[in-house]
């Protein structure tokens, strides 16, 4: 009720702030320098993004209005940024992800992997994490979590029910013996448990311990899903929004960067980092919620308990519901594998890719967005059912059946329908990315980036690794209360200017900044996967904060290790590249 009273007041304050800032913009336009005008709009957008006075996507449209009004950039230049090459790559990737969701292919993959890995507590948690991380590499973190948490919930519920049934059975068969044993103990030991006159045994202290343990396992199993979704999204270029922000801003700020950040190079850098983070996160959640009892957790050489059999049966039953793999699922899987192969082989780096071999000057013209949109187009063309060849071989034995079949179209409906895409496509993220690219472009052209760079020259005396680590920590904290994409959008152009001023490779600070923007582990509001897991009611905010602090430290440690080991030779981070130098001089 308190919220209901204050909501109109908050809304009125928001409207007042919006209009006040808008009119202030128009008043100061004549007395400000270009850099200051651009900075002013960025600050207003940063405040709106952090406070969410209006939806994030709507805030992202502000450059279209205010940059032309203030004379920072023309409408034509600003609007071009909203559906550029990077955004088309994102849209193409999302359409493929929607087709995977539409035909439940992600659920089939998840259940198959869980059945292979087994249901011992440690392995079950590892299985949930591996499946969630793998799926969130390709489809949205939110969709992956929304699909995985009900599976986790069903498995946990079944394990609890089975444990209860087993306990009841044991009590039914062994109650007399227990009472006799307790009476004998009572005669010899006055401190032992007393038997109530009606023959009921009071609650065994161990049962309350088991309840606590069950609660902790529930917390660990559900938390592992949202953490694995955030970690998994970092492994591929299209896996999560901040990665796309980096790709777009690299192209924006450094047009001659030789396509240094593409699908293959990002995967080579981020996938090992994801594996390392996933293993450390799993060990931390094991220690935190289950304890490191290897015999109990792994159960090597021991028979499955009733609980484990129940969990296995739930997974088998879910798999059975899906039935055999359909023609549509097979087609979607084929398209998905083809897309990944096209991305990896377009410009592998160590050999000539298909873009160069098959098309003249293909390396110059073809980017990762071309195969993404090509596969997306095929999904709207390929049929969801096998084509029917009735006309060529009619069955004369059953004329009625043949007539019915002849009436059916040769090709069925396609794998994807536009209405489904329109409903499931996160258009807000597309606009958010576009707004970010518009800000980056305006920062570079107005001179704001150069001005920021000059202010940061004193940082040159600090070792680069220290700068990168501190910036990662700042981003990891900031992203807890702001959208991941908005965080990356605001900070990456600043990091770019700083790298230019202290003459270090831009990616040395932009890569850790991008990855850290996905480390939203501490609060339910930090990212949608956390909110989904929190809504199931197993965990409190304090549980998430405690686990999340360590997860943030693990994340920053892994990223610092990655850029100082395999990241250095991969992106030549020890040198200040010519393409970065030429951009700053423009």
């Amino acid at each position: 009720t308190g919220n209901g009273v204050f909501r109109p007041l908050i809304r009125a304050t928001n409207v007042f702030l919006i209009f006040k800032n808008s009119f202030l913009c128009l008043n100061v336009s004549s007395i400000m320098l270009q850099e200051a005008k651009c900075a002013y709009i960025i600050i207003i957008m940063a405040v709106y993004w952090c406070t969410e006075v209006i939806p994030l996507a709507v805030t992202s449209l502000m450059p279209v209005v205010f940059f032309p009004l203030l004379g920072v950039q023309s409408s034509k230049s600003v609007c071009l940024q909203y559906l550029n090459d990077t955004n088309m790559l994102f849209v193409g990737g999302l359409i493929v992800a929607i087709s995977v969701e539409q035909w439940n292919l992600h659920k089939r993959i998840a259940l198959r992997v869980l059945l292979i890995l087994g249901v011992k507590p440690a392995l079950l948690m590892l299985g949930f994490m591996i499946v969630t991380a793998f799926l969130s590499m390709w489809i949205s973190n939110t969709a992956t979590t929304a699909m995985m948490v009900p599976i986790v919930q069903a498995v946990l519920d079944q394990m609890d029910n089975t444990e209860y049934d087993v306990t009841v059975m044991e009590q039914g068969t062994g109650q007399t013996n227990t009472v006799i044993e307790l009476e004998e103990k009572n005669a010899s030991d006055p401190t032992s448990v007393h038997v109530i006159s009606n023959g009921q045994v009071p609650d065994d202290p161990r049962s309350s311990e088991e309840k606590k343990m069950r609660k902790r396992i529930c917390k660990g199993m559900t938390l592992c899903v949202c953490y694995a979704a955030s970690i998994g999204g970092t492994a591929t270029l299209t896996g999560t929004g901040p990665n796309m922000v980096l790709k777009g801003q690299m192209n924006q700020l450094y047009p001659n960067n030789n396509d240094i950040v593409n699908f293959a190079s990002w995967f080579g850098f981020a996938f090992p980092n994801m594996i390392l983070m996933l293993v450390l996160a799993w060990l931390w959640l094991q220690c935190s919620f289950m304890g490191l009892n290897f015999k109990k957790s792994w159960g090597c050489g021991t028979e499955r308990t009733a609980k484990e059999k129940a969990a296995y049966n739930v997974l088998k039953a879910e798999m059975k519901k899906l039935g055999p793999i359909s023609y549509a699922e097979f087609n979607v899987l084929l398209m998905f594998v083809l897309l990944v192969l096209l991305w990896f082989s377009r410009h592998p780096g160590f050999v000539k890719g298909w873009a160069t071999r098959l098309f003249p000057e293909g390396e110059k013209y073809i980017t990762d967005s071309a195969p993404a949109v090509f596969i997306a187009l095929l999904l709207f063309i390929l049929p969801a059912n096998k084509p029917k060849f009735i006309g060529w071989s009619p069955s004369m034995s059953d004329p009625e059946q043949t007539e019915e079949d002849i009436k059916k179209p040769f090709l069925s409906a396609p794998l994807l329908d536009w209405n489904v895409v329109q409903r499931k496509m996160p258009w807000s993220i597309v606009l958010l990315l576009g707004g970010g690219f518009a800000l980056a472009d305006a920062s570079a052209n107005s001179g704001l980036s150069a001005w920021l760079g000059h202010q940061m020259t004193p940082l040159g005396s600090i070792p680069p690794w220290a700068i990168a680590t501190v910036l990662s920590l700042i981003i990891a904290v900031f992203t807890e209360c702001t959208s991941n994409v908005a965080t990356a959008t605001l900070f990456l152009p600043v990091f770019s200017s700083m790298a230019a001023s202290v003459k270090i490779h831009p990616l040395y600070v932009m890569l850790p900044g991008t990855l850290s923007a996905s480390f939203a582990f501490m609060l339910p509001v930090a990212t949608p996967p956390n909110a989904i897991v929190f809504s199931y009611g197993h965990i409190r905010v304090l549980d998430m904060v405690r686990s999340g602090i360590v997860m943030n430290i693990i994340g920053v440690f892994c990223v610092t290790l990655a850029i100082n080991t395999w990241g250095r030779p991969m992106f030549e981070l020890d040198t200040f590249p010519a393409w970065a130098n030429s951009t700053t001089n423009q």
Side-chain angles (χ1 to χ4, degrees), residues 177-197 200-202:
N177 297 338
T178 311
V179 172
I180 293 163
E181 281 170 23
L182 285 169
E183 279 176 345
E184 283 172 4
K185 276 188 184 175
N186 199 32
S188 59
D189 181 7
T191 60
S192 64
V193 181
H194 292 280
V195 182
I196 299 165
S197 56
Q200 291 290 315
V201 185

Side-chain angles (χ1 to χ4, degrees), residues 49-352:
W49 271 334
C50 293
T51 55
E52 293 190 42
V53 289
I54 52 177
L56 296 176
V58 178
T59 302
S60 305
L61 294 171
M62 285 175 68
V64 177
V65 180
F66 292 110
F67 282 163
L69 288 180
L70 295 176
V72 176
Q73 270 192 314
S74 69
S75 292
K76 197 174 181 180
S77 304
V78 176
C79 294
L80 277 174
Q81 306 308 321
Y82 279 82
L83 211 57
N84 62 14
D85 172 57
T86 309
N87 248 336
M88 287 311 295
L89 166 61
F90 192 58
V91 168
L94 283 171
I95 289 172
V96 176
I98 288 166
S99 72
V100 169
E101 283 177 57
Q102 173 75 359
W103 292 101
N104 257 345
L105 186 61
H106 58 327
K107 192 171 184 180
R108 187 180 294 278
I109 293 166
L111 293 169
R112 175 60 62 204
V113 174
L114 288 169
L115 286 168
I116 290 166
L117 280 173
V119 287
K120 297 289 177 192
L123 285 172
L124 192 61
M125 181 185 270
L126 184 63
F128 285 140
M129 290 182 81
I130 288 171
V131 167
T132 307
F134 174 75
L135 290 173
S136 66
M137 285 163 60
W138 313 105
I139 65 177
S140 83
N141 300 355
T142 309
T144 305
T145 310
M147 187 270 300
M148 285 300 294
V149 176
I151 295 174
V152 174
Q153 189 66 43
V155 168
L156 291 172
D157 287 348
Q158 191 59 44
M159 284 166 82
D160 280 357
N161 293 342
T162 308
E163 189 167 354
Y164 175 76
D165 292 345
V166 169
T167 311
V168 168
M169 280 168 63
E170 282 173 356
Q171 282 177 353
T173 54
Q175 195 172 34
T176 321
N177 297 338
T178 311
V179 172
I180 293 163
E181 281 170 23
L182 285 169
E183 279 176 345
E184 283 172 4
K185 276 188 184 175
N186 199 32
S188 59
D189 181 7
T191 60
S192 64
V193 181
H194 292 280
V195 182
I196 299 165
S197 56
N198 63 6
Q200 291 290 315
V201 185
D203 284 346
D204 185 350
R206 280 180 305 176
S207 67
S208 65
E209 275 298 312
E210 278 174 13
K211 275 181 191 171
K212 280 182 188 171
M213 190 62 191
R214 271 208 304 277
K215 236 180 177 182
R216 288 171 67 184
I217 287 173
C218 270
K219 286 176 182 178
M221 290 287 188
T222 47
L223 265 181
C224 80
V225 172
C226 62
Y227 287 170
S230 293
I231 294 167
T234 62
T236 57
L237 198 55
T238 54
T240 190
N243 305 357
M244 300 303 299
V245 173
L246 174 73
K247 166 74 175 163
Q249 296 206 355
M250 283 297 290
N251 292 348
Q252 203 73 53
L253 301 167
Y254 308 106
N256 306 316
N257 68 43
N258 305 322
D259 197 25
I260 191 167
V261 177
N262 58 38
F263 193 89
S265 67
W266 177 271
F267 188 84
F269 170 74
F271 184 72
N273 180 68
M274 182 206 83
I275 297 289
L276 181 62
M277 272 193 75
L278 209 59
V279 170
L280 292 177
W282 173 65
L283 287 171
W284 162 239
L285 291 172
Q286 277 285 114
C287 288
S288 188
F289 293 102
M290 297 184 186
L292 279 176
N293 184 340
F294 282 102
K295 192 177 179 184
K296 193 175 178 183
S297 296
W298 291 89
C300 299
T302 60
E303 282 189 25
R304 278 185 188 157
T305 62
K307 279 202 302 184
E308 286 159 10
K309 281 178 185 168
Y312 189 78
N313 289 337
V314 167
L315 297 174
K316 270 187 105 169
E318 285 291 317
M319 192 71 180
K320 203 173 180 183
K321 277 183 203 169
L322 291 176
I325 189 163
S326 66
Y327 180 79
E329 278 179 273
F330 182 74
N331 261 355
V332 169
L333 181 62
L334 202 66
M335 290 296 101
F336 171 70
V337 172
L338 178 61
L339 175 58
V340 175
L341 288 174
L342 287 172
W343 270 338
F344 276 118
S345 57
R346 179 186 70 83
H347 182 52
F350 53 91
V351 290
K352 280 185 175 181

